[in-house]
């Protein structure tokens, strides 16, 4: 028998309980100490009930808020404009590393970026048991009807310069019997566009079914279209942005003790090359890029799962998972770049509803989606530069351990003097929770004895 006292109860209608009752139920059945559990959840409500209501509206069965650190990386010079970039991330050293890289490139011309394209994708997947050539022949008429029927939905977006760019019929029946799809390309301007795209696609699904029913050249069997699903694709290879930094190798300066700029540049290039050829390294390398990207994506109220999923698919576009960034050295110039798809928005979704997402956008000068794509790509590149620079010079543990040590000291309630002494003591030693506690206890005992 487990010693766990929790009764693992089940419940019907949980979602209909008030928040207080939800907390009480979860505390009673799933907490080790129900009253402290409930108290803590109550402490994590926002002080302003209106804001709490907004936050609760983002999800379901909410009990409390789960705070994450909200920081900034200043000094980002991107295409000649300086940004102070908001970042939401729970991992220590990430914001410090992005800030250090931003400062480094601030003095070397900054980041350069370019949006390559902004096309989004959606699909209607359907089964059709008929003669392919007839469907292909009917397609121009079908396309006309698809566009006509969806016109009330797309009018607004068209006024903003967006809408449906292209509709293709794809025969996928070689992979799955009777399987076809409509592959649709969209321009969604400053919105990420998920709702717009999905509404259009569902409208397409209905038009497609009706079209087949009424099309005079189809046989009885061909009148039946079975729409399996209509949904946007998070793989948006044509919603693409590029960021790069470059400078003469000599301008890289000294890169730590015993490493001149040329050695550093070559080691850096090799490290990025390894991430191009080895998926084990590529995964970690790209994870470092997403440390920066996700942090800004979250801070601006965008969907980091969508951005990550897309980025990782893009990283496999050659048939092997590879680094998203590339480095080259040519005629004495160090060039480092990142190219990836980023489907994000600056209107709609959470971007304006979440109070801090809205503040993040304000801090960035209320950018368009295109500008935000470029800021995010620059941060991803900066994060990658910082990580690889540490790896090929000092190793990352040095920076990480200092942050880790500070976290432990904070947790143990160390005062300023204790922090200073601990930083000195652990500057050349391994950091662990137990060792830091031991150090503090000894230090405190020593101080007590000195008082007596
Ligand atoms: C840690 O969160 C990210 C790194 O591992 C990235 C990398 O290895 O390039 C430092």
């Amino acid at each position: 028998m487990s010693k766990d006292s929790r009764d693992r109860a089940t419940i019907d209608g949980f979602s209909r309980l008030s928040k207080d009752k939800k907390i009480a139920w979860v505390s009673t059945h799933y907490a080790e100490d129900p009253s402290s559990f409930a108290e803590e959840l109550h402490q994590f409500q926002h002080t302003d009930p209106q804001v709490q209501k907004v936050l609760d509206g983002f999800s379901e069965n909410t009990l409390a808020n789960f705070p994450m650190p909200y920081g900034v990386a200043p000094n980002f010079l991107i295409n000649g404009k300086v940004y102070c970039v908001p970042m939401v991330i729970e991992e220590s050293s990430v914001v410090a590393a992005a800030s250090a890289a931003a400062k480094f490139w601030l003095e070397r011309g900054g980041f350069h970026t370019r949006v390559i394209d902004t096309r989004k994708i959606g699909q209607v997947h359907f089964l059709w048991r008929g003669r392919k050539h007839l469907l292909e022949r009917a397609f121009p008429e079908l396309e006309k009807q698809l566009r006509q029927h969806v016109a009330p939905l797309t009018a607004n977006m068209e006024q903003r310069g967006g809408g449906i760019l292209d509709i293709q019929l794809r025969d996928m029946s070689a992979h799955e019997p009777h399987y076809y799809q409509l592959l649709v390309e969209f321009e969604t301007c400053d919105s990420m566009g998920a709702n717009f795209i999905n509404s259009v696609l569902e409208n397409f699904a209905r038009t497609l079914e009706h079209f087949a029913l009424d099309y005079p050249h189809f046989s009885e069997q061909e009148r039946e279209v079975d729409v399996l699903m209509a949904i946007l694709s998070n793989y948006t290879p044509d919603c693409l942005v590029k960021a790069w930094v470059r400078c003469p190798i000599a301008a890289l300066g000294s890169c730590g003790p015993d490493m001149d700029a040329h050695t550093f540049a070559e080691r850096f290039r090799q490290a990025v090359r390894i991430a191009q050829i080895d998926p084990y390294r590529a995964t970690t390398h790209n994870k470092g890029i997403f440390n920066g990207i996700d942090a800004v994506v979250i801070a601006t109220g965008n969907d980091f799962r969508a951005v990550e999923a897309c980025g990782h698919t893009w990283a496999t576009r050659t048939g092997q998972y590879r680094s998203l960034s590339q480095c080259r050295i040519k005629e004495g110039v160090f060039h480092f770049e990142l190219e990836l798809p980023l489907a994000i928005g600056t209107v709609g979704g959470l971007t304006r509803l979440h109070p801090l997402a809205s503040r993040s956008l304000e801090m960035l000068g209320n950018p368009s989606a295109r500008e935000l794509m470029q800021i995010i790509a620059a941060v991803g590149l900066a994060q990658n530069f910082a990580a690889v620079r540490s790896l090929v010079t000092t190793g990352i543990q040095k920076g990480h351990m200092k942050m880790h040590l500070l976290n432990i000291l904070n947790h143990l309630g160390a005062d300023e003097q204790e922090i200073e002494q601990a930083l000195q003591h652990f500057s050349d030693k391994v950091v662990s929770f137990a060792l830091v506690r031991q150090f503090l206890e000894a230090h405190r005992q020593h101080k007590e004895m000195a008082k007596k």
Side-chain angles (χ1 to χ4, degrees):
M1 274 285 277
S2 151
K3 277 203 250 141
D4 194 339
S5 59
R6 289 168 278 197
D7 61 16
R8 312 265 159 217
T10 59
I11 182 171
D12 281 331
F14 181 78
S15 64
R16 290 190 297 278
L17 296 180
S18 68
K19 188 192 271 183
D20 282 353
K21 287 200 170 128
K22 286 190 182 97
I23 294 177
W25 187 86
V26 174
S27 309
T28 307
H29 299 289
Y30 285 90
E32 283 170 18
D33 174 356
S35 65
S36 77
F37 186 94
E39 193 185 314
E40 186 133 26
L41 290 192
H42 283 295
Q43 276 166 7
F44 278 97
Q45 307 299 319
H46 198 277
T47 47
D48 180 342
Q50 273 314 104
V51 175
Q52 188 55 54
K53 205 168 154 201
V54 171
L55 297 175
D56 287 339
F58 296 156
S59 184
E60 303 78 36
N61 290 347
T62 54
L63 302 181
N65 305 312
F66 186 97
M68 293 263 282
Y70 180 61
V72 290
N75 299 321
F76 260 97
L77 180 63
I78 306 171
N79 300 336
K81 190 167 162 187
V82 176
Y83 296 88
C84 177
V85 181
M87 298 178 79
V88 171
I89 185 149
E90 85 298 352
E91 183 177 331
S92 58
S93 302
V94 168
V95 176
S99 306
K103 194 77 194 301
F104 182 89
W105 286 105
L106 177 70
E107 289 146 17
R108 291 164 180 81
F111 294 82
H112 310 276
T113 60
R114 183 161 64 88
V115 171
I116 296 164
D117 211 338
T118 54
R119 286 166 180 251
K120 315 260 168 71
I121 302 281
Q123 296 167 300
V124 179
H125 306 269
F126 64 97
L127 302 177
W128 190 68
R129 292 168 174 79
R131 291 160 291 173
K132 182 185 159 190
H133 71 277
L134 270 192
L135 188 57
E136 282 171 348
R137 204 181 302 157
F139 185 67
E141 175 57 24
L142 169 64
E143 181 174 357
K144 211 162 94 192
Q145 289 195 19
L146 290 170
R147 287 183 184 270
Q148 263 168 11
H149 292 182
V150 87
L153 277 180
T154 54
N156 248 340
M157 190 59 89
E158 279 166 11
Q159 251 172 24
R160 282 154 50 198
I164 296 160
L165 302 179
D166 188 40
I167 310 172
Q168 282 173 43
L169 172 69
R170 295 174 89 198
D171 174 9
M172 306 293 283
S173 58
H175 308 281
E176 173 69 24
H178 319 300
Y179 168 36
Y180 291 84
Q181 65 173 245
L182 296 177
L183 184 78
V184 191
E185 287 187 4
F186 297 88
E187 170 56 58
T188 60
C189 305
D190 282 337
S191 64
M192 194 272 187
N195 279 332
F196 169 72
I197 293 176
N198 289 333
S199 305
V200 167
L201 294 172
E202 290 193 359
N203 185 295
F204 277 8
R206 287 192 295 275
T207 301
L208 176 62
E209 285 164 352
H210 287 122
F211 177 85
L213 275 179
D214 298 341
Y215 193 64
H217 305 294
F218 283 171
S219 66
E220 200 51 40
Q221 182 186 303
E222 285 166 341
R223 292 191 198 291
E224 196 180 317
V225 166
D226 182 0
V227 174
L228 279 172
M229 47 191 174
I231 184 77
L232 93 173
S233 168
N234 285 120
Y235 185 44
T236 54
D238 290 320
C239 189
L240 202 59
V241 60
K242 183 170 167 161
W244 66 97
V245 285
R246 54 187 287 133
C247 71
I249 292 182
L252 288 168
S254 148
C255 303
D258 309 326
M259 201 178 298
D260 60 67
H262 278 87
T263 312
F264 165 72
E266 184 51 17
R267 283 170 70 80
F268 191 100
R269 189 198 63 76
Q270 285 164 334
V272 179
R273 175 77 187 128
I274 288 168
Q276 280 288 327
I277 56 186
D278 173 37
Y280 286 100
R281 175 57 204 149
T283 305
T284 318
H285 181 95
N286 289 345
K287 188 273 183 186
I289 294 174
F290 280 107
N291 275 345
I293 288 183
D294 284 357
V296 189
V297 169
I298 296 173
T300 55
N302 277 286
D303 181 344
F304 66 97
R305 287 90 54 213
V307 166
E308 281 248 2
C310 181
H312 293 301
T313 308
W314 170 254
T316 62
R317 69 196 179 284
T318 58
Q320 184 192 307
Y321 189 88
R322 295 180 196 279
S323 159
L324 291 166
S325 61
Q326 305 211 31
C327 177
R328 57 178 182 271
I329 296 171
K330 212 172 154 199
E331 290 161 7
V333 175
F334 173 86
H335 178 103
F336 183 43
E337 71 175 47
L338 170 67
E339 186 178 292
L340 86 166
L342 280 176
I344 47 87
T346 53
V347 298
L350 239 66
T351 56
R352 299 288 161 180
L353 291 178
H354 193 295
L356 286 182
S358 173
R359 291 295 182 192
S360 298
L361 291 168
E362 179 184 335
M363 205 187 295
L364 294 172
N366 291 316
S368 64
R370 290 174 77 93
E371 189 178 353
L372 184 59
M373 283 167 79
Q374 297 176 75
I375 297 168
I376 295 172
V379 176
L381 184 68
Q383 204 70 57
N384 193 210
F385 177 79
V388 176
R389 180 170 66 162
S390 294
L391 288 168
V392 301
T393 55
T394 56
I396 59 149
Q397 283 310 84
K398 199 168 170 229
H400 265 257
M401 276 306 148
K402 188 170 167 204
M403 298 292 179
H404 184 48
L405 175 59
L406 286 171
N407 282 342
I408 298 173
L409 288 166
N410 273 338
H411 184 87
L412 295 172
D415 62 26
E416 262 175 41
Q417 193 202 18
E418 288 170 338
I419 291 177
E420 201 177 305
Q421 299 206 339
L423 284 175
Q424 211 171 8
H425 175 83
F426 284 100
S427 63
D428 56 356
K429 294 182 184 61
V430 173
V431 175
S432 76
F433 194 89
L435 287 173
V436 178
R437 186 164 46 200
Q438 254 174 37
F439 170 84
L440 272 187
E441 277 168 7
H443 179 81
R444 285 169 185 171
Q445 256 173 23
H446 192 75
K447 232 165 106 183
E448 280 304 307
M449 302 257 286
K451 268 195 216 158
K452 284 179 190 164

